[in-house]
């Protein structure tokens, strides 16, 4: 029998072990083909105004997807090599050289990968148009995508296939040449469950390491709440390192130490259910620390990525409206205002128009936290009475008082407690004299559109008159008239925005609400589209790795199940203990991953004005639901092993 025939025969005999691994490879190849198809799709690019952003986003996502695929294949291939170590040892025992065994495994790996490549490209081509349609839906674009096949995407996917095959082949060669026959025959055996009790010194060191894992996690969580400052990069790196290190120690030492403490409390009398759940976990936790840490980190990354992307998409309209309370605005442009009004009326577009008389000066907003800080800036003084008539929900400050309105008032380096900064003062210079007013608070919304130049200060008309009387002779004093429009029917916004195009000046500040909203929707739609696909890839990786490991453990525990069946324990009783074990195996990395993502999202929440509770809950529920499908597959495999233990 040739090496090629041996590989084909082995694949036929092990098909029951390959199906989920093969499916996960197909899924990964399909996702990459879809990403590459979108990257080369001219129709999609033409639908998006910022095609450069589109290409950059998908190129970055494609690179990250390649990393995911490589990590997954290395992890899963390592598990399969461990499961088949006895088979590899038998081949060497009957006289096959290590070189021939390596060729056999490489041929099998190439055939399996090539099948996944062809299947992945076919599946990707079939569903790629569906993904384009989903993207169009996210971006609120009309039309139907054309059906075609992307040869460049197929070529890119083939390159990824070659990369995966080369990496896994090197991994196989390394494993074969560094392993002895004894190691191969013992690699798939259960850990020794009858090891001697550790010494007193070892127990003390274990307890110290166990506490260290919790301390590192606590430090990472605490630092994440205050990492956004001038040393953001260093703090972020420290958070990542301490969290990953703490997670690894938690799985390798802390949890095992807790299980050992429970066993000592029970004086070794664990009972049937704990023997099937607690004991195997305790003795395997050290060897599973790497994979469980990887799964936890990937789960946290996925949930954080999807939550933030969905939060941007979910709050796009709300956050844009906070920054742009009016659909359109003109400053000191009477002729343009009249012409635009006439065009809206001629097109039958219903609108509300209001005018606000204000003044602009230069002043200094004092900083209570840093009295030496004196930065001059342009200030727009707005009368609260006129704003109220225009429909704004604003109260009239007392004479001499002001309230600042700024939707972007909190930046990355601000403390959230604004009471430390307010009330404060505003100083103006008039005829060499300081004129002071009290700034009571900062409200995180705008009274005028954000493209209006200057910090927005709301005062009473009496205060406005006082400022005008004192400042009108200064060089930087300016009287301004703002004409603002709100379109009554949202369906007419696009048409009104197209009419406004001709009135935009050639500068950065000539945008309107609809164009800003469309830009935010486009960017956030791309983010959630990419995050969702990467999340699926992460899920396929983490779930498959867990499933493969549990398949291996089920085979290792088969003799124990057979013994229990001979002693009279039925399938239902054994499965109760197995369910307990799987609840810990699947829930621990999921729960810790969710905890990691909670602090990560909280640290990054300053980028989003709106409440992110709904996006966070939605992301966690969706991830958990799909994640538990792998737990169901695992329990099904265990049930089959237990059921056939007596056969």
């Amino acid at each position: 029998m040739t090496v090629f025939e041996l590989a084909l025969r082995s694949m036929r005999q092990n098909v029951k072990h390959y199906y989920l691994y093969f499916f996960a490879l197909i899924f990964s190849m399909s996702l990459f083909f879809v990403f590459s198809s979108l990257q080369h799709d001219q129709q999609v690019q033409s639908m998006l105004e910022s095609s450069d952003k589109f290409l950059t986003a998908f190129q970055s996502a494609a690179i990250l997807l390649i990393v995911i695929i490589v990590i997954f294949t290395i992890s899963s291939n390592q598990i399969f090599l461990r499961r088949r170590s006895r088979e590899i040892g038998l081949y060497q025992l009957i006289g096959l050289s290590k070189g021939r065994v390596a060729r056999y495994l490489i041929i099998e790996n190439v055939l399996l990968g090539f099948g996944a490549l062809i299947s992945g490209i076919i599946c990707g081509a079939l569903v790629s148009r569906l993904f384009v349609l989903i993207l169009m839906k996210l971006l609120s674009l009309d039309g139907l995508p054309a059906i075609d096949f992307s040869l460049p995407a197929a070529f890119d996917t083939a390159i990824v296939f070659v990369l995966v095959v080369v990496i896994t082949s090197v991994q196989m060669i390394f494993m074969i040449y560094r392993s002895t026959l004894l190691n191969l025959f013992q690699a798939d055996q259960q850990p020794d469950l009858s090891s001697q009790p550790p010494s007193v010194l070892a127990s003390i060191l274990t307890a110290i390491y166990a506490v260290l894992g919790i301390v590192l996690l606590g430090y990472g969580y605490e630092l994440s709440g205050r990492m956004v400052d001038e040393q953001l990069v260093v703090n972020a790196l420290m958070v990542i390192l301490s969290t990953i290190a703490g997670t690894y120690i938690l799985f390798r030492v802390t949890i095992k130490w807790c299980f050992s403490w429970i066993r000592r409390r029970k004086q070794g009398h664990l009972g049937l259910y704990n023997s099937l759940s607690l004991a195997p976990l305790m003795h395997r936790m050290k060897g599973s620390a790497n994979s469980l840490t990887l799964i936890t980190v990937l789960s946290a990354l996925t949930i954080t990525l999807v939550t933030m992307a969905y939060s941007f998409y979910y709050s796009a309209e709300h956050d844009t409206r906070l920054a742009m309370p009016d659909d359109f605005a003109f400053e000191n442009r009477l002729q343009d205002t009249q012409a635009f009004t006439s065009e809206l009326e001629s097109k039958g577009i219903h609108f509300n128009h209001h005018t606000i008389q204000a003044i602009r000066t230069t002043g200094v907003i004092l900083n209570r936290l840093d009295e030496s800080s004196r930065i001059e800036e342009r200030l727009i003084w707005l009368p609260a009475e006129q704003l109220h008539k225009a429909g704004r929900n604003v109260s009239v400050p007392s004479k001499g008082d002001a309230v600042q309105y700024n939707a972007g008032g909190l930046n990355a380096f601000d403390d959230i407690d604004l009471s430390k900064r307010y009330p404060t003062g505003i100083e103006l210079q008039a005829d060499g004299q300081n004129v002071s007013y009290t700034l009571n608070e900062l409200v995180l919304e705008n009274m005028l559109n954000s493209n209006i130049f200057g910090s927005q200060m709301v005062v009473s008309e009496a205060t406005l008159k006082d400022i005008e009387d004192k400042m009108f002779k200064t060089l930087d004093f300016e009287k301004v008239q703002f004409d603002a429009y709100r379109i009554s029917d949202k369906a007419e916004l696009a048409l009104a925005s197209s009419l406004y195009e001709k009135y935009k000046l050639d500068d950065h500040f000539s945008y309107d609400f609809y164009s800003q909203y469309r830009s935010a929707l486009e960017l956030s739609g791309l983010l959630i589209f990419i995050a969702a696909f990467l999340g699926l890839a992460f899920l396929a990786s983490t779930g498959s790795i867990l499933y493969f490991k549990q398949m291996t453990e089920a085979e290792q525990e088969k003799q124990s199940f057979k013994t229990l069946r001979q002693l009279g324990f039925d399938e239902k009783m054994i499965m109760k203990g197995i369910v307990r074990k799987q609840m810990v195996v699947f829930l621990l990395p999921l729960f810790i991953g969710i905890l990691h993502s909670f602090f990560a999202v909280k640290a990054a929440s300053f980028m989003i004005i709106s409440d992110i509770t709904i996006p966070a809950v939605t992301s966690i529920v969706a991830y958990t639901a799909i994640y538990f499908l792998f737990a169901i597959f695992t329990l099904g495999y265990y049930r089959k092993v237990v059921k056939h233990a007596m056969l």
Side-chain angles (χ1 to χ4, degrees), residues 544-595:
S544 297
I545 290 171
L546 263 180
Y547 179 77
F548 298 151
K549 285 191 67 66
Q550 294 309 302
M551 284 175 62
T552 303
E553 292 183 11
E555 295 295 330
Q556 293 174 348
E557 296 168 1
K558 185 182 294 185
Q559 184 59 43
S560 301
F561 300 149
K562 184 176 181 179
T563 302
L564 290 173
R565 293 292 300 273
Q566 290 173 339
L567 292 175
F569 296 100
D570 60 19
E571 176 187 334
K572 186 176 180 180
M573 297 175 68
I574 297 174
M575 284 304 299
K576 283 185 179 180
I578 293 174
V579 169
R580 286 189 180 185
K581 174 189 172 184
Q582 297 309 312
M583 290 292 286
V584 175
V585 169
F586 279 87
L587 282 179
L588 262 181
L590 176 63
F591 174 76
I592 298 173
I594 291 175
L595 194 61

Side-chain angles (χ1 to χ4, degrees), residues 385-425:
E385 291 85 350
Q386 293 184 35
L387 291 172
H388 185 73
K389 290 180 181 178
R392 301 285 198 269
N393 183 20
V394 58
S395 58
V396 180
S398 304
K399 186 175 181 180
D401 292 349
V403 176
Q404 183 178 5
Y405 283 78
N406 186 359
L410 284 181
N411 59 53
F413 305 109
D414 279 329
D415 56 10
I416 303 302
D417 187 7
L418 294 176
S419 63
K420 296 179 181 179
R421 293 194 293 168
Y422 298 93
T424 186

